[in-house]
Amino acid sequence: MEKIKIQLTTVPKEKPDINGIAFGTHFSDHMFLMDYVEGQGWINPRIVPYGPISLEPSAMVFHYAQEIFEGMKAYRTPEGRIQLFRPMENFRRMNNSADRMCIPRIPEELSMEGLVTLLKVDRDWVPSAPDTSLYIRPFVIATDPHLGVHVSSTYLFAIITSPVGSYYAGGMSPVRIKIEDRDVRAVRGGTGHAKCGGNYAASLRAGEKAEEEGFSQVLWLDGVHRRYVEEVGSMNVMFKINGTVVTPELSGSVLPGITRKSCIEILGDKGIEVQERPITIDELIEAARDGSLQEAWGTGTAAVISPIGEISYRDESYIIGGNRIGFLTRELYDILTGIQWGRTSDPYGWVYPID
Ligand SMILES: *Cc1c(COP(=O)(O)O)cnc(C)c1O
């Protein structure tokens, strides 16, 4: 494997005050870059000062959205060490996304080495205040300067990192969710299972409208029948109905979340039944009406677990679990964050120390 070249910045930035910084607005001093050229593969891995990248206006990513990304975090433990949470799962998923978008795969060890090298260079950027972390954004874009609709023959792989404050700075509280029955995020056969920018572009309109109406996220229904529950905002979703946890199956239009997968494993260990299956909106509303819907929460790297206190469907609202944080919701949050920040032991081997 090619050695990673390191060019250090001569003008290190001042670290922002981690309290109260908005998500994804500050970036560390360096970034990892690597190029793909057809016939040569992934070449020229390098760490350079964080800054603008130069692309032709005709670069394919701007026109046809051949792009994928990932999201994960580096956590500082109470002892001051830095660790990742299941990072190989992210790089494996990135390759699954790459397959769907006709982007060449990146050997997972290569991505991992780039990330670890970057984190070591920027280790002071991993904050240490409680519940803060360094958000990591790997992404790949198509760079051919061509307007023809084709698969690109050149790509740029980049990893940038951003210090983020506590997601629940004001304390965890249940959110209001709007069930979206007009716009859809993804369809089977489309790109819903891939982490690509295009899915997000399609989701913006409904998200904006829901926010205007006082909701914090949209709950997406499937793209064909608008009948089956899929995801909530950019998170997977779980419901506790009559003591059983149900979550939409990975049908092809649902993103296979690593937090989702981890929750399923933890719940299994606790002896709680988990069903991955289709869930109709009628079943959900009925369960909300008769009180058998005891808890609901979203799962994803940014929030880890996000309690849902109210759902609204066609202008009718339903309160879940008295609009309080459910017992299981809280327990999953505590177990996962305990492992991620190294506050508790990790019986699963999910933690990946970088030093
Ligand atoms: C990234 C993402 C998730 C959550 O995945 P995690 O691996 O748990 O962070 C869920 N849904 C969508 C649409 C996503 O992009």
Side-chain angles (χ1 to χ4, degrees):
M1 192 161 86
E2 240 184 301
K3 199 163 147 34
I4 299 172
K5 286 194 202 75
I6 300 179
Q7 182 204 337
L8 295 179
T9 181
T10 52
V11 279
K13 287 180 277 198
E14 203 168 309
K15 312 270 186 307
D17 178 5
I18 198 74
N19 298 306
I21 63 171
F23 175 82
T25 51
H26 292 73
F27 299 92
S28 70
D29 279 329
H30 299 89
M31 60 185 175
F32 174 78
L33 300 177
M34 184 161 68
D35 305 310
Y36 181 89
V37 177
E38 206 169 71
Q40 298 181 59
W42 288 102
I43 56 169
N44 198 14
R46 58 201 185 274
I47 305 260
V48 294
Y50 176 92
I53 50 181
S54 167
L55 293 171
E56 297 263 351
S58 58
M60 291 184 73
V61 63
F62 295 136
H63 307 277
Y64 310 124
Q66 203 191 354
E67 185 268 358
I68 54 174
F69 68 94
E70 268 302 327
M72 56 180 132
K73 286 173 173 174
Y75 307 87
R76 199 176 284 277
T77 70
E79 298 77 36
R81 287 198 297 270
I82 296 168
Q83 61 188 30
L84 299 163
F85 181 74
R86 312 188 81 176
M88 288 305 261
E89 293 280 341
N90 290 90
F91 288 128
R92 267 197 284 277
R93 181 170 70 189
M94 195 166 79
N95 276 334
N96 291 335
S97 302
D99 289 347
R100 179 63 184 84
M101 304 300 285
C102 297
I103 290 171
R105 293 179 149 246
I106 304 174
E108 283 131 25
E109 318 71 64
L110 196 55
S111 303
M112 199 64 222
E113 194 184 327
L115 173 57
V116 168
T117 308
L118 176 64
L119 289 176
K120 285 183 174 165
V121 168
D122 277 344
R123 58 171 309 124
D124 292 348
W125 282 87
V126 183
S128 53
D131 301 324
T132 63
S133 58
L134 186 69
Y135 185 79
I136 298 163
R137 169 55 55 85
F139 62 100
V140 184
I141 55 174
T143 53
D144 271 9
H146 287 171
L147 296 183
V149 180
H150 269 289
V151 168
S152 187
S153 64
T154 58
Y155 298 86
L156 179 71
F157 172 43
I159 307 177
I160 58 174
T161 70
S162 170
V164 292
S166 168
Y167 190 88
Y168 293 112
M172 188 193 245
S173 61
V175 294
R176 297 179 69 213
I177 298 293
K178 177 188 175 185
I179 298 170
E180 172 63 40
D181 66 352
R182 187 177 57 144
D183 288 0
V184 297
R185 188 192 80 92
V187 292
R188 231 173 266 200
T191 55
H193 64 290
K195 215 168 169 76
C196 64
N199 292 339
Y200 279 76
S203 79
L204 291 174
R205 184 172 71 175
E208 282 290 291
K209 188 142 186 295
E211 260 178 47
E212 273 165 29
E213 294 167 6
F215 298 96
S216 73
Q217 300 265 14
V218 160
L219 191 147
W220 298 106
L221 300 178
D222 75 283
V224 178
H225 311 282
R226 288 186 180 67
R227 186 159 174 247
Y228 298 95
V229 171
E230 297 217 314
E231 298 202 49
V232 55
S234 53
M235 292 182 283
N236 296 111
V237 66
M238 298 188 169
F239 306 98
K240 185 176 159 213
I241 302 176
N242 274 332
T244 297
V245 173
V246 295
T247 189
E249 62 187 339
L250 299 178
S251 57
S253 47
V254 170
L255 200 286
I258 296 158
T259 319
R260 172 189 185 275
K261 181 174 169 170
S262 304
C263 284
I264 292 172
E265 290 182 55
I266 292 169
L267 290 165
D269 275 1
K270 295 179 64 63
I272 294 168
E273 190 192 347
V274 183
Q275 296 175 350
E276 295 177 66
R277 62 167 173 82
I279 304 162
T280 64
I281 187 61
D282 303 328
E283 174 187 357
L284 192 67
I285 296 300
E286 193 48 45
R289 273 213 182 100
D290 70 18
S292 56
L293 176 56
Q294 299 154 312
E295 299 184 35
W297 63 90
T299 72
T301 296
V304 190
I305 300 287
S306 175
I308 299 170
E310 181 181 336
I311 52 175
S312 171
Y313 184 53
R314 295 182 174 158
D315 298 327
E316 277 213 59
S317 275
Y318 308 86
I319 299 290
I320 301 170
N323 201 22
R324 287 186 296 269
I325 303 170
F327 181 81
L328 196 57
T329 306
R330 166 68 70 182
E331 197 177 16
L332 281 171
Y333 179 79
D334 289 344
I335 292 174
L336 276 169
T337 54
I339 294 173
Q340 288 167 336
W341 271 275
R343 292 190 292 256
T344 56
S345 65
D346 166 24
Y348 299 99
W350 285 342
V351 155
Y352 187 106
I354 72 134
D355 48 7

